Amino acid sequence: MTRGYPEHRPASGIIFTGVKWRAYVHIARHPATGSPRYAHELDLSGLYYWPLKRYRHLVFYIERSDHIDVWRMLRGQRDIPAWLLGDMHAGTSNDV
């Protein structure tokens, strides 16, 4: 079953791209409206996430003085704190 996975349905992929773009625009305009939930769990000040509408993806980002640093976009069902901790210990972060 491929329900919920935009890469398996081309038309859905176009919609997913639009939803992702709208999320990025919202984050750029209102960065503090994201949830700091995982920042508390990870003791990582400034980390926020914003959920994509209609999809189970979360955009993780940190607001900097002159830009927004998007770390990753992940499906919401993952064990996100463990994954982010692993990435932090490796000393890497990738943009979307």
XYZ file of all heavy atoms in Angstrom:
801
model
N 0.836 -1.178 0.000
C 0.000 0.000 0.000
C 0.882 1.243 0.000
O 1.814 1.356 0.775
C -0.893 -0.036 1.237
C -1.825 1.111 1.317
S -2.973 0.794 2.702
C -3.934 2.233 2.570
N 0.592 2.191 -0.842
C 1.438 3.371 -0.976
C 0.768 4.641 -0.480
O 1.289 5.723 -0.693
C 1.843 3.567 -2.455
O 0.657 3.744 -3.219
C 2.661 2.397 -2.950
N -0.370 4.523 0.169
C -1.072 5.700 0.648
C -0.178 6.516 1.583
O 0.424 5.983 2.503
C -2.321 5.260 1.388
C -3.223 6.393 1.713
C -4.509 5.821 2.216
N -4.865 6.585 3.396
C -5.797 6.242 4.221
N -6.447 5.135 4.035
N -6.073 6.987 5.240
N -0.106 7.825 1.342
C 0.695 8.684 2.202
C 2.132 8.868 1.740
O 2.865 9.642 2.307
N 2.539 8.160 0.714
C 3.899 8.284 0.210
C 3.856 8.982 -1.148
O 3.571 8.367 -2.154
C 4.563 6.906 0.049
C 4.778 6.212 1.367
C 3.832 5.351 1.881
C 5.932 6.446 2.092
C 4.021 4.725 3.098
C 6.138 5.826 3.303
C 5.177 4.961 3.801
O 5.376 4.356 5.001
N 4.140 10.294 -1.194
C 3.998 11.046 -2.431
C 4.902 10.566 -3.556
O 4.573 10.729 -4.721
C 4.330 12.481 -2.032
C 4.990 12.388 -0.728
C 4.572 11.107 -0.082
N 6.025 9.954 -3.241
C 6.937 9.525 -4.299
C 6.356 8.385 -5.139
O 6.845 8.093 -6.209
C 8.294 9.118 -3.717
C 8.237 7.972 -2.735
C 7.975 8.399 -1.303
O 7.616 9.551 -1.064
O 8.142 7.543 -0.424
N 5.286 7.732 -4.667
C 4.671 6.635 -5.399
C 3.519 7.086 -6.286
O 2.989 6.289 -7.034
C 4.173 5.554 -4.432
C 5.292 4.909 -3.677
N 6.217 4.109 -4.293
C 5.645 4.983 -2.376
C 7.091 3.687 -3.382
N 6.772 4.212 -2.222
N 3.116 8.351 -6.190
C 2.024 8.876 -7.010
C 2.453 10.233 -7.539
O 2.531 11.203 -6.786
C 0.757 9.002 -6.182
C 0.248 7.654 -5.688
C -1.037 7.817 -4.930
N -0.894 8.869 -3.932
C -1.502 8.877 -2.765
N -2.298 7.910 -2.440
N -1.332 9.857 -1.919
N 2.732 10.356 -8.832
C 3.258 11.608 -9.389
C 2.410 12.841 -9.080
O 2.950 13.877 -8.700
C 3.320 11.333 -10.880
C 3.434 9.861 -10.989
C 2.647 9.304 -9.828
N 1.086 12.774 -9.239
C 0.255 13.949 -8.972
C 0.339 14.342 -7.504
O 0.377 15.520 -7.169
C -1.194 13.675 -9.369
N 0.404 13.363 -6.635
C 0.531 13.638 -5.214
C 1.873 14.301 -4.907
O 1.971 15.126 -4.007
C 0.385 12.342 -4.416
O 0.477 12.591 -3.048
N 2.905 13.933 -5.655
C 4.225 14.546 -5.474
C 4.209 16.031 -5.761
O 4.869 16.813 -5.075
N 3.434 16.432 -6.753
C 3.308 17.861 -7.079
C 2.609 18.585 -5.942
O 3.029 19.667 -5.526
C 2.561 18.041 -8.416
C 3.417 17.491 -9.556
C 2.209 19.503 -8.654
C 2.690 17.365 -10.871
N 1.565 17.974 -5.417
C 0.857 18.567 -4.282
C 1.779 18.644 -3.071
O 1.824 19.660 -2.375
C -0.423 17.761 -3.960
C -1.407 17.872 -5.122
C -1.062 18.242 -2.666
C -2.561 16.906 -5.041
N 2.532 17.579 -2.825
C 3.474 17.543 -1.703
C 4.484 18.688 -1.811
O 4.781 19.361 -0.816
C 4.186 16.193 -1.675
C 5.186 16.048 -0.570
C 4.767 15.850 0.744
C 6.539 16.088 -0.825
C 5.682 15.706 1.773
C 7.463 15.946 0.193
C 7.032 15.756 1.490
N 4.992 18.928 -3.005
C 5.949 20.017 -3.215
C 5.326 21.361 -2.875
O 5.961 22.201 -2.227
C 6.466 20.011 -4.664
O 7.105 18.755 -4.908
C 7.434 21.136 -4.925
N 4.068 21.571 -3.265
C 3.376 22.815 -2.942
C 3.168 22.983 -1.446
O 3.357 24.068 -0.888
N 2.791 21.894 -0.775
C 2.589 21.933 0.676
C 3.912 22.235 1.382
O 3.975 23.035 2.316
C 1.975 20.603 1.174
C 1.986 20.511 2.690
C 0.560 20.442 0.641
N 4.968 21.602 0.902
C 6.301 21.842 1.484
C 6.715 23.304 1.289
O 7.217 23.939 2.223
C 7.300 20.891 0.826
C 8.684 20.967 1.396
C 9.574 19.865 0.861
C 9.768 19.960 -0.624
N 10.786 19.035 -1.129
N 6.484 23.838 0.103
C 6.829 25.232 -0.185
C 6.062 26.187 0.733
O 6.635 27.120 1.293
C 6.554 25.553 -1.646
C 6.885 26.969 -1.988
C 6.009 27.981 -2.192
C 8.184 27.546 -2.116
N 6.668 29.151 -2.458
C 8.017 28.907 -2.415
C 9.480 27.031 -2.019
C 9.086 29.757 -2.610
C 10.543 27.901 -2.215
C 10.338 29.226 -2.508
N 4.761 25.935 0.916
C 3.963 26.785 1.804
C 4.471 26.710 3.243
O 4.482 27.710 3.963
C 2.485 26.415 1.711
C 1.828 26.948 0.443
C 0.323 26.786 0.452
N -0.103 25.394 0.399
C -0.165 24.654 -0.698
N 0.187 25.173 -1.861
N -0.573 23.405 -0.646
N 4.903 25.541 3.666
C 5.469 25.406 5.013
C 6.744 26.237 5.141
O 6.947 26.925 6.149
C 5.758 23.940 5.329
N 7.611 26.188 4.134
C 8.847 26.972 4.176
C 8.548 28.471 4.223
O 9.208 29.217 4.947
C 9.732 26.668 2.976
C 10.357 25.300 2.976
C 10.753 24.711 1.783
C 10.551 24.585 4.149
C 11.342 23.452 1.754
C 11.129 23.331 4.135
C 11.517 22.774 2.930
O 12.097 21.535 2.918
N 7.569 28.909 3.464
C 7.195 30.327 3.475
C 6.679 30.717 4.856
O 7.056 31.752 5.402
C 6.152 30.638 2.372
C 5.554 32.030 2.542
C 6.784 30.493 0.987
N 5.846 29.870 5.437
C 5.330 30.159 6.779
C 6.466 30.229 7.796
O 6.515 31.155 8.614
C 4.314 29.093 7.210
C 3.862 29.294 8.617
N 2.841 30.163 8.944
C 4.323 28.793 9.792
C 2.698 30.171 10.256
N 3.576 29.346 10.788
N 7.363 29.258 7.745
C 8.495 29.236 8.676
C 9.356 30.489 8.512
O 9.794 31.087 9.495
C 9.339 27.963 8.478
C 8.539 26.734 8.955
C 10.671 28.068 9.207
C 9.146 25.413 8.516
N 9.581 30.914 7.282
C 10.392 32.115 7.041
C 9.731 33.360 7.623
O 10.414 34.229 8.169
C 10.619 32.290 5.541
N 8.412 33.438 7.515
C 7.692 34.622 8.001
C 7.443 34.588 9.506
O 7.408 35.627 10.154
C 6.368 34.755 7.267
C 6.524 35.113 5.818
C 5.191 35.251 5.141
N 5.378 35.590 3.733
C 4.457 35.429 2.814
N 3.261 34.950 3.130
N 4.708 35.751 1.560
N 7.228 33.393 10.051
C 6.844 33.255 11.461
C 7.613 32.101 12.110
O 7.015 31.118 12.539
C 5.345 32.987 11.566
C 4.489 33.916 10.778
N 4.246 35.220 11.165
C 3.837 33.738 9.613
C 3.463 35.794 10.279
N 3.203 34.914 9.318
N 8.912 32.204 12.223
C 9.701 31.065 12.716
C 9.374 30.634 14.140
O 9.476 29.458 14.467
C 11.145 31.540 12.596
C 11.069 33.011 12.521
C 9.750 33.349 11.890
N 8.948 31.542 14.974
C 8.679 31.189 16.374
C 7.364 30.439 16.563
O 7.061 30.004 17.666
C 8.684 32.444 17.237
N 6.577 30.251 15.492
C 5.304 29.544 15.632
C 5.469 28.028 15.585
O 4.512 27.295 15.821
C 4.289 29.972 14.550
O 4.826 29.695 13.260
C 3.938 31.431 14.683
N 6.665 27.549 15.304
C 6.909 26.117 15.324
C 6.925 25.584 16.745
O 6.981 26.341 17.710
N 6.864 24.280 16.874
C 6.865 23.650 18.197
C 8.296 23.374 18.671
O 9.095 22.815 17.932
C 6.100 22.332 18.157
O 6.222 21.655 19.389
N 8.603 23.734 19.914
C 9.925 23.449 20.475
C 9.990 22.097 21.189
O 10.932 21.828 21.920
C 10.127 24.595 21.458
C 8.744 24.871 21.960
C 7.835 24.638 20.757
N 8.993 21.234 20.992
C 8.902 19.976 21.734
C 10.210 19.187 21.740
O 10.695 18.766 22.787
C 7.795 19.108 21.150
C 7.747 17.749 21.775
C 6.725 16.875 21.119
N 6.861 15.511 21.617
C 6.316 14.483 21.051
N 5.577 14.636 19.991
N 6.493 13.282 21.539
N 10.813 18.962 20.585
C 12.021 18.157 20.528
C 13.239 18.916 21.041
O 14.211 18.307 21.460
C 12.238 17.619 19.116
C 11.159 16.643 18.738
C 10.169 16.985 17.836
C 11.106 15.378 19.324
C 9.156 16.090 17.508
C 10.096 14.484 19.008
C 9.124 14.850 18.097
O 8.122 13.965 17.796
N 13.187 20.234 21.055
C 14.283 21.018 21.647
C 14.410 20.695 23.124
O 15.516 20.554 23.644
C 14.027 22.506 21.449
N 13.290 20.543 23.790
C 13.307 20.210 25.219
C 13.818 18.789 25.425
O 14.629 18.541 26.314
C 11.918 20.375 25.819
C 11.380 21.767 25.729
N 12.032 22.860 26.257
C 10.265 22.255 25.140
C 11.335 23.955 26.019
N 10.259 23.624 25.335
N 13.338 17.856 24.605
C 13.758 16.460 24.751
C 15.250 16.274 24.469
O 15.895 15.432 25.060
C 12.952 15.570 23.811
C 11.496 15.441 24.211
C 10.725 14.517 23.295
O 11.345 13.618 22.695
O 9.513 14.684 23.190
N 15.769 17.066 23.534
C 17.165 16.926 23.125
C 18.097 17.923 23.797
O 19.301 17.891 23.573
C 17.273 17.106 21.608
C 16.538 16.078 20.770
C 16.485 16.514 19.325
C 17.227 14.732 20.893
N 17.528 18.826 24.598
C 18.304 19.893 25.208
C 19.064 20.674 24.134
O 20.266 20.922 24.240
C 19.256 19.338 26.272
C 19.817 20.438 27.158
O 19.156 21.483 27.313
O 20.933 20.254 27.681
N 18.334 21.031 23.100
C 18.906 21.751 21.958
C 18.118 23.045 21.768
O 17.107 23.083 21.070
C 18.843 20.875 20.708
C 19.497 21.408 19.452
C 20.990 21.666 19.699
C 19.329 20.428 18.325
N 18.575 24.088 22.405
C 17.877 25.365 22.383
C 17.716 25.888 20.956
O 18.657 25.860 20.169
C 18.657 26.384 23.221
O 18.012 27.623 23.198
N 16.517 26.349 20.645
C 16.268 26.967 19.351
C 15.745 26.037 18.276
O 15.395 26.490 17.198
N 15.693 24.739 18.551
C 15.177 23.790 17.565
C 13.652 23.821 17.573
O 13.030 23.744 18.631
C 15.649 22.372 17.866
C 15.141 21.283 16.905
C 15.790 21.457 15.534
C 15.441 19.908 17.471
N 13.061 23.981 16.399
C 11.614 23.961 16.228
C 11.260 22.960 15.143
O 12.101 22.596 14.321
C 11.092 25.333 15.770
C 11.175 26.403 16.828
C 12.274 27.254 16.892
C 10.141 26.583 17.740
C 12.345 28.250 17.853
C 10.198 27.585 18.704
C 11.304 28.416 18.749
O 11.372 29.397 19.689
N 9.991 22.572 15.127
C 9.501 21.807 13.984
C 8.138 22.340 13.593
O 7.410 22.921 14.394
C 9.458 20.308 14.269
C 8.290 19.827 15.085
C 7.085 19.472 14.477
C 8.394 19.696 16.454
C 6.015 19.022 15.223
C 7.337 19.243 17.206
C 6.140 18.909 16.586
O 5.087 18.467 17.328
N 7.828 22.163 12.314
C 6.547 22.577 11.766
C 5.978 21.402 10.980
O 6.651 20.860 10.102
C 6.732 23.789 10.854
C 5.427 24.327 10.363
C 4.870 24.137 9.134
C 4.502 25.115 11.103
N 3.657 24.758 9.064
C 3.401 25.372 10.274
C 4.502 25.616 12.401
C 2.306 26.112 10.684
C 3.406 26.365 12.811
C 2.333 26.608 11.957
N 4.742 20.989 11.265
C 4.150 19.867 10.537
C 3.602 20.303 9.185
O 3.070 21.410 9.047
C 3.012 19.420 11.456
C 2.614 20.652 12.196
C 3.885 21.465 12.350
N 3.741 19.445 8.184
C 3.147 19.713 6.881
C 1.670 19.357 6.930
O 1.302 18.296 7.430
C 3.809 18.877 5.786
C 5.267 19.142 5.492
C 5.689 18.349 4.257
C 5.536 20.608 5.277
N 0.832 20.221 6.396
C -0.592 19.916 6.320
C -0.810 18.789 5.315
O -0.144 18.739 4.279
C -1.385 21.147 5.883
C -1.417 22.229 6.932
C -2.256 23.397 6.505
C -2.234 24.449 7.597
N -3.042 25.593 7.253
N -1.710 17.882 5.639
C -2.102 16.745 4.803
C -1.065 15.635 4.748
O -1.294 14.613 4.142
C -2.434 17.167 3.363
C -3.602 18.095 3.241
C -3.888 18.448 1.822
N -4.092 17.223 1.030
C -4.143 17.195 -0.272
N -4.012 18.305 -0.971
N -4.330 16.062 -0.926
N 0.090 15.816 5.313
C 1.143 14.796 5.293
C 1.667 14.598 6.706
O 1.536 15.464 7.555
C 2.281 15.198 4.354
C 1.842 15.257 2.926
C 1.390 16.452 2.365
C 1.835 14.118 2.135
C 0.964 16.502 1.050
C 1.408 14.166 0.822
C 0.970 15.361 0.284
O 0.541 15.406 -1.009
N 2.310 13.485 6.936
C 2.837 13.179 8.269
C 4.316 13.519 8.356
O 5.094 12.789 8.954
C 2.608 11.707 8.576
C 1.140 11.380 8.743
C 0.939 9.924 8.876
N 0.770 9.404 7.521
C 0.522 8.159 7.220
N 0.451 7.253 8.147
N 0.363 7.790 5.971
N 4.721 14.615 7.751
C 6.114 15.032 7.761
C 6.289 16.239 8.665
O 5.387 17.068 8.798
C 6.574 15.389 6.344
C 6.711 14.206 5.459
N 5.637 13.532 4.940
C 7.810 13.574 5.006
C 6.062 12.531 4.196
N 7.372 12.533 4.225
N 7.463 16.331 9.258
C 7.817 17.444 10.128
C 9.082 18.099 9.593
O 10.045 17.408 9.258
C 8.076 16.944 11.551
C 6.964 16.110 12.194
C 7.440 15.562 13.540
C 5.704 16.915 12.345
N 9.078 19.423 9.517
C 10.256 20.187 9.093
C 10.952 20.681 10.358
O 10.350 21.387 11.162
C 9.858 21.394 8.210
C 11.091 22.191 7.815
C 9.084 20.946 6.986
N 12.209 20.295 10.544
C 12.995 20.711 11.700
C 13.907 21.858 11.295
O 14.580 21.789 10.264
C 13.832 19.548 12.235
C 12.993 18.513 12.914
C 12.389 17.509 12.195
C 12.788 18.586 14.279
C 11.600 16.570 12.817
C 12.000 17.654 14.919
C 11.393 16.644 14.180
N 13.952 22.894 12.125
C 14.735 24.075 11.775
C 15.170 24.831 13.024
O 14.631 24.643 14.112
C 13.930 24.997 10.853
C 12.689 25.571 11.491
C 12.711 26.814 12.116
C 11.488 24.863 11.495
C 11.574 27.335 12.715
C 10.353 25.376 12.083
C 10.404 26.610 12.690
O 9.281 27.122 13.286
N 16.162 25.687 12.822
C 16.642 26.594 13.871
C 16.673 27.997 13.279
O 17.156 28.201 12.160
C 18.045 26.186 14.368
C 17.969 24.848 15.100
C 18.624 27.261 15.281
C 19.285 24.348 15.643
N 16.157 28.947 14.028
C 16.175 30.336 13.591
C 17.529 30.947 13.931
O 17.986 30.904 15.072
C 15.063 31.123 14.281
C 14.999 32.566 13.855
C 13.896 33.334 14.559
O 13.294 32.807 15.513
O 13.659 34.475 14.150
N 18.194 31.469 12.938
C 19.466 32.184 13.129
C 19.196 33.680 13.022
O 18.106 34.100 12.631
C 20.484 31.759 12.057
C 20.730 30.270 11.996
C 21.450 29.786 13.209
N 21.794 28.362 13.043
C 22.184 27.587 14.005
N 22.308 28.078 15.225
N 22.470 26.337 13.793
N 20.176 34.503 13.310
C 19.970 35.955 13.270
C 19.669 36.470 11.869
O 18.932 37.437 11.706
C 21.192 36.682 13.832
O 22.329 36.398 13.042
N 20.197 35.800 10.841
C 20.002 36.289 9.473
C 19.378 35.278 8.515
O 19.225 35.554 7.339
C 21.334 36.771 8.899
C 22.371 35.669 8.846
O 22.185 34.626 9.510
O 23.371 35.844 8.128
N 19.015 34.092 9.014
C 18.388 33.077 8.157
C 17.759 31.970 9.002
O 17.931 31.935 10.212
C 19.403 32.484 7.171
C 20.455 31.640 7.826
N 21.546 32.176 8.490
C 20.573 30.289 7.942
C 22.301 31.196 8.969
N 21.725 30.028 8.653
N 17.052 31.102 8.320
C 16.485 29.916 8.953
C 17.305 28.729 8.481
O 17.492 28.516 7.283
C 15.007 29.702 8.549
C 14.159 30.921 8.884
C 14.448 28.434 9.175
C 14.042 31.235 10.338
N 17.799 27.957 9.407
C 18.600 26.777 9.087
C 17.692 25.548 9.159
O 17.348 25.085 10.247
C 19.747 26.663 10.089
C 20.742 25.589 9.747
O 20.676 25.021 8.649
O 21.611 25.317 10.600
N 17.256 25.042 7.993
C 16.410 23.855 7.953
C 17.313 22.643 8.075
O 18.225 22.456 7.276
C 15.579 23.788 6.648
C 14.812 22.481 6.571
C 14.629 24.970 6.566
N 17.053 21.825 9.087
C 17.890 20.647 9.327
C 17.431 19.471 8.506
O 18.201 18.882 7.766
C 17.873 20.284 10.806
C 18.782 21.112 11.635
C 19.183 22.384 11.380
C 19.403 20.721 12.845
N 20.013 22.812 12.378
C 20.163 21.806 13.290
C 19.361 19.571 13.603
C 20.894 21.764 14.453
C 20.088 19.528 14.773
C 20.848 20.619 15.189
N 16.182 19.097 8.675
C 15.659 17.907 7.999
C 14.155 17.969 7.901
O 13.510 18.700 8.636
C 15.996 16.625 8.795
C 17.427 16.279 8.905
C 17.893 15.548 7.670
N 19.318 15.369 7.717
C 19.922 14.208 7.652
N 19.247 13.103 7.511
N 21.233 14.141 7.693
N 13.619 17.142 7.025
C 12.196 16.873 6.984
C 12.053 15.367 7.175
O 12.649 14.588 6.433
C 11.571 17.289 5.667
C 10.081 17.002 5.634
S 9.305 17.335 4.060
C 9.780 19.013 3.791
N 11.298 14.981 8.187
C 11.137 13.561 8.500
C 9.670 13.209 8.635
O 8.854 14.057 8.985
C 11.828 13.223 9.825
C 13.326 13.425 9.880
C 13.813 13.189 11.298
C 14.018 12.487 8.915
N 9.370 11.952 8.388
C 8.019 11.466 8.659
C 7.816 11.471 10.168
O 8.704 11.120 10.937
C 7.834 10.061 8.100
C 7.748 10.075 6.581
C 7.454 8.713 6.018
N 6.241 8.114 6.547
C 5.018 8.318 6.049
N 4.868 9.118 5.026
N 3.976 7.717 6.576
N 6.647 11.867 10.599
C 6.353 12.036 12.014
C 6.357 10.764 12.838
O 6.423 10.829 14.046
N 6.288 9.577 12.220
C 6.237 8.338 12.979
C 7.607 7.851 13.436
O 7.704 6.914 14.197
C 5.593 7.220 12.150
C 4.121 7.397 11.953
C 3.803 8.347 10.813
O 4.693 8.769 10.082
N 2.554 8.701 10.669
N 8.658 8.439 12.964
C 10.000 7.989 13.339
C 10.318 8.319 14.779
O 9.707 9.187 15.391
C 11.043 8.678 12.456
C 11.089 8.138 11.078
C 12.254 8.781 10.380
N 12.655 7.962 9.265
C 13.761 8.137 8.602
N 14.589 9.095 8.940
N 14.067 7.369 7.601
N 11.345 7.678 15.309
C 11.852 8.020 16.624
C 12.774 9.221 16.436
O 13.987 9.096 16.387
C 12.605 6.837 17.237
C 13.070 7.141 18.640
O 12.718 8.191 19.191
O 13.812 6.308 19.178
N 12.199 10.368 16.336
C 12.933 11.566 15.950
C 14.016 11.958 16.957
O 15.133 12.239 16.571
C 11.968 12.714 15.647
C 11.159 12.332 14.398
C 12.706 14.022 15.435
C 10.007 13.227 14.110
N 13.761 11.972 18.248
C 14.840 12.366 19.154
C 16.083 11.485 19.032
O 17.192 12.001 18.982
C 14.195 12.242 20.533
C 12.751 12.492 20.281
C 12.489 11.836 18.937
N 15.929 10.184 18.937
C 17.091 9.306 18.799
C 17.821 9.579 17.495
O 19.045 9.610 17.439
C 16.664 7.838 18.877
N 17.072 9.798 16.428
C 17.688 10.071 15.129
C 18.478 11.378 15.168
O 19.607 11.444 14.713
C 16.604 10.138 14.060
C 17.163 10.414 12.721
C 17.574 9.495 11.818
C 17.416 11.690 12.144
N 18.055 10.133 10.707
C 17.971 11.475 10.881
C 17.228 12.994 12.571
C 18.336 12.512 10.046
C 17.587 14.026 11.740
C 18.136 13.775 10.492
N 17.880 12.425 15.743
C 18.578 13.705 15.799
C 19.802 13.635 16.694
O 20.828 14.227 16.382
C 17.631 14.812 16.284
C 16.634 15.327 15.262
C 15.687 16.310 15.931
C 17.329 15.998 14.101
N 19.696 12.925 17.796
C 20.866 12.777 18.665
C 22.001 12.084 17.932
O 23.151 12.493 18.044
C 20.510 11.993 19.922
C 19.836 12.788 21.019
C 19.408 11.872 22.145
C 20.755 13.876 21.535
N 21.685 11.059 17.155
C 22.707 10.368 16.368
C 23.361 11.299 15.377
O 24.573 11.300 15.202
N 22.577 12.149 14.738
C 23.097 13.103 13.767
C 23.948 14.167 14.455
O 24.984 14.559 13.957
C 21.946 13.756 13.013
C 22.382 14.351 11.693
O 23.213 13.732 11.008
O 21.903 15.442 11.360
N 23.516 14.612 15.634
C 24.278 15.633 16.365
C 25.631 15.081 16.799
O 26.644 15.758 16.701
C 23.499 16.098 17.594
C 22.346 17.010 17.271
S 21.352 17.501 18.691
C 22.335 17.120 20.096
N 25.660 13.832 17.260
C 26.926 13.239 17.697
C 27.880 13.021 16.527
O 29.079 13.040 16.704
C 26.680 11.920 18.428
C 25.980 12.128 19.734
N 26.440 12.969 20.708
C 24.826 11.608 20.214
C 25.616 12.965 21.742
N 24.626 12.134 21.465
N 27.317 12.842 15.337
C 28.152 12.694 14.161
C 28.689 14.037 13.684
O 29.578 14.096 12.848
C 27.364 12.015 13.029
N 28.101 15.118 14.223
C 28.582 16.466 13.863
C 28.112 16.922 12.499
O 28.734 17.774 11.890
N 26.983 16.368 12.021
C 26.489 16.761 10.714
C 25.035 17.157 10.806
O 24.322 16.748 11.697
C 26.595 15.601 9.701
O 25.759 14.544 10.146
C 28.020 15.148 9.519
N 24.619 17.978 9.865
C 23.205 18.245 9.632
C 23.071 18.524 8.145
O 23.937 19.139 7.534
C 22.711 19.413 10.455
O 23.287 20.618 10.011
N 22.004 18.037 7.566
C 21.777 18.219 6.137
C 20.558 19.057 5.898
O 19.579 18.935 6.600
C 21.581 16.850 5.450
C 22.841 16.037 5.473
O 23.929 16.572 5.398
N 22.694 14.736 5.579
N 20.618 19.893 4.895
C 19.458 20.672 4.514
C 18.495 19.794 3.742
O 18.867 18.760 3.228
C 19.877 21.857 3.634
C 20.682 22.870 4.415
O 20.576 22.918 5.644
O 21.435 23.607 3.775
N 17.282 20.247 3.683
C 16.259 19.514 2.930
C 16.541 19.646 1.459
O 16.997 20.612 0.980
C 14.856 20.062 3.271
C 13.820 19.433 2.375
C 14.562 19.812 4.714
